[in-house]
Amino acid sequence: MSNVSIKKRSSLASSKVLFTIMAILLGLLVGALVLLIAGYDPIEGFKNLFLGVFKNPRNMGWAIVTSTPIIMTGLGVTFAFKTGLFNMGAEGQFIVGTIVAFLVGYFFDLPPIILPIVAIILAMVAGAFYGSIAGFIKAKFGIHEVISTIMLNWVAFYFQNFIVYRYQQPNSMSSFEVNDNAKITLFTDAAKRFDGFFSHFFRAPIHWGSILAIVAVIVVWYILNKTTLGYKLKAVGLNDEASQYGGIDSGKKIVQSMAISGAISALAGVTQVLGFTYNLSILSSMQNFGFDGLAVSLLASNNPIGVIFSGLFFGSLKYAGNNLQRAMGVPSEIISIIIGTIILFTAIPLAYRIIKARLRQNKKLSKDTSKKIKEEASRND
């Protein structure tokens, strides 16, 4: 690879990092202004946000638990983005993963290691199938994936409530718990196993899902950058017509991309149930794991490795928001304002590039049209 291309890539990466840092700082600034307008001390507020995560090892553990599912849904969205698709269905695919986790964990009677593996595999297969539906609809009928995935979110939403009503605990809004053999929480008796830092850290329900999230990031990075499949998927995303001309079946690749994205999002759901909640609850509204994953992906500039850091950042913010509410009585919605503002500022460069590309395309089209008109006129003369 030439020095020019290496320099170009490094400058592009540094500009993206700079934009991300600026977006975060601007988001925090807006949050400070909102706190000030509402009559709260912004410095005290940010101090409590910091302490909400770093006050003790237990809080740090809880921040990781909160971040884990949105790292994986963010990764699922990133995979679709990298292949030119807009997966708004990560929420529904996450729910499908939770449903399969509960059904397998509740009904199957298998040994402790085997049962979670079976649940994870079946959940990812179900998530892949659910994601591929939107891919098939786009490839076959040309219906945009945003429309179909949003509709599929609600199908999954109401199906979860149906399952909970069917297996609901008496006098509860939740289902029965999965079998103990299905649980993937790492250490439930941390105080006995460890001393010092880790005795407190593992009091949070740290589970294997956090490790699987890192493994998934590495696998996705490898697929996208080191395999023929990743090359073909990205080629379809960059230019559908050119990839077809090059012999790539774009319809098939769209289905494959949405299937892989759905499987990753479902992995978030199955690990959340088996590692943390252990059951399903009746949903009155979306849990926003998928939509938070969308924010994580945007902040990471659709970089699989960056998803880990943006997911940890958002997860820590969401968990620390509870401490802000307890310490100062500030509504936890302030965190949503900060996150929303960060995403807004993150999206500005992307929107600028889209508008610039569209204007360039229109300019070229108008030039070609005027050239054809002149040629036609000269022929007539």
Side-chain angles (χ1 to χ4, degrees):
M1 191 181 290
S2 66
N3 291 332
V4 176
S5 61
I6 292 171
K7 285 180 181 178
K8 210 178 219 183
R9 284 193 176 188
S10 62
S11 64
L12 183 64
S14 62
S15 65
K16 285 183 178 179
V17 171
L18 181 62
F19 273 124
T20 300
I21 293 170
M22 286 177 61
I24 291 171
L25 292 175
L26 288 169
L28 294 174
L29 178 62
V30 170
L33 289 173
V34 172
L35 284 171
L36 196 62
I37 292 168
Y40 298 99
D41 182 1
I43 297 174
E44 187 68 19
F46 286 125
K47 176 187 171 184
N48 282 296
L49 274 180
F50 182 83
L51 291 176
V53 177
F54 297 104
K55 185 177 181 180
N56 54 58
R58 180 178 172 275
N59 285 12
M60 294 169 66
W62 270 106
I64 291 173
V65 171
T66 308
S67 303
T68 296
I70 62 176
I71 288 174
M72 284 192 272
T73 54
L75 185 64
V77 173
T78 293
F79 190 91
F81 268 139
K82 278 288 190 182
T83 56
L85 296 168
F86 203 140
N87 183 12
M88 290 289 288
E91 183 76 18
Q93 294 144 17
F94 172 90
I95 293 172
V96 167
T98 64
I99 293 169
V100 174
F102 166 72
L103 293 175
V104 173
Y106 183 69
F107 287 106
F108 283 35
D109 185 18
L110 294 170
I113 297 175
I114 304 299
L115 184 53
I117 293 174
V118 171
I120 288 169
I121 292 171
L122 291 179
M124 292 185 72
V125 169
F129 172 75
Y130 208 64
S132 67
I133 294 173
F136 174 78
I137 291 172
K138 176 167 185 176
K140 187 74 174 175
F141 305 106
I143 298 172
H144 202 282
E145 66 274 10
V146 169
I147 298 170
S148 55
T149 50
I150 288 174
M151 296 298 103
L152 287 166
N153 283 343
W154 289 104
V155 174
F157 175 92
Y158 288 112
F159 187 60
Q160 171 163 328
N161 284 351
F162 168 78
I163 295 294
V164 176
Y165 283 127
R166 180 70 179 80
Y167 302 104
Q168 189 174 2
Q169 294 185 62
N171 304 316
S172 172
M173 297 294 286
S174 303
S175 68
F176 291 99
E177 282 196 0
V178 297
N179 295 323
D180 289 340
N181 289 354
K183 295 176 182 179
I184 59 171
T185 310
L186 281 172
F187 302 108
T188 53
D189 54 349
K192 298 176 184 176
R193 290 177 179 243
F194 299 100
D195 295 319
F197 178 90
F198 289 105
S199 68
H200 297 282
F201 180 78
F202 283 108
R203 285 180 184 174
I206 304 292
H207 53 81
W208 281 101
S210 302
I211 297 168
L212 287 175
I214 297 172
V215 172
V217 165
I218 295 169
V219 170
V220 165
W221 178 88
Y222 184 82
I223 290 172
L224 288 173
N225 295 287
K226 301 294 182 181
T227 66
T228 305
L229 173 64
Y231 169 79
K232 289 180 177 179
L233 289 173
K234 288 191 291 184
V236 172
L238 288 170
N239 195 317
D240 187 11
E241 293 180 2
S243 61
Q244 286 188 54
Y245 183 77
I248 299 173
D249 186 346
S250 61
K252 182 180 178 182
K253 296 307 169 190
I254 288 170
V255 175
Q256 287 179 343
S257 176
M258 288 300 294
I260 294 171
S261 179
I264 298 167
S265 299
L267 177 63
V270 65
T271 54
Q272 182 75 353
V273 169
L274 300 185
F276 178 39
T277 64
Y278 307 134
N279 61 9
L280 299 180
S281 299
I282 294 171
L283 299 175
S284 57
S285 62
M286 292 289 183
Q287 297 170 287
N288 287 332
F289 286 105
F291 300 117
D292 287 340
L294 179 64
V296 164
S297 178
L298 287 172
L299 185 64
S301 299
N302 303 323
N303 184 308
I305 305 299
V307 163
I308 296 175
F309 302 103
S310 61
L312 283 170
F313 176 70
F314 278 155
S316 298
L317 267 182
K318 291 174 83 68
Y319 178 72
N322 298 323
N323 187 58
L324 190 65
Q325 191 172 30
R326 285 192 302 269
M328 299 176 62
V330 177
S332 58
E333 283 75 15
I334 185 68
I335 302 303
S336 300
I337 294 173
I338 293 172
I339 289 174
T341 308
I342 291 171
I343 296 308
L344 175 64
F345 286 117
T346 303
I348 287 174
L350 178 62
Y352 171 75
R353 286 196 296 269
I354 292 171
I355 293 168
K356 189 177 178 181
R358 184 64 60 87
L359 290 172
R360 191 186 297 119
Q361 186 179 7
N362 289 341
K363 190 176 179 181
K364 186 185 175 191
L365 187 63
S366 64
K367 277 185 179 178
D368 291 343
T369 305
S370 62
K371 187 178 178 182
K372 285 180 182 178
I373 292 170
K374 285 179 182 178
E375 287 175 354
E376 191 68 29
S378 64
R379 280 181 198 154
N380 292 335
D381 292 341

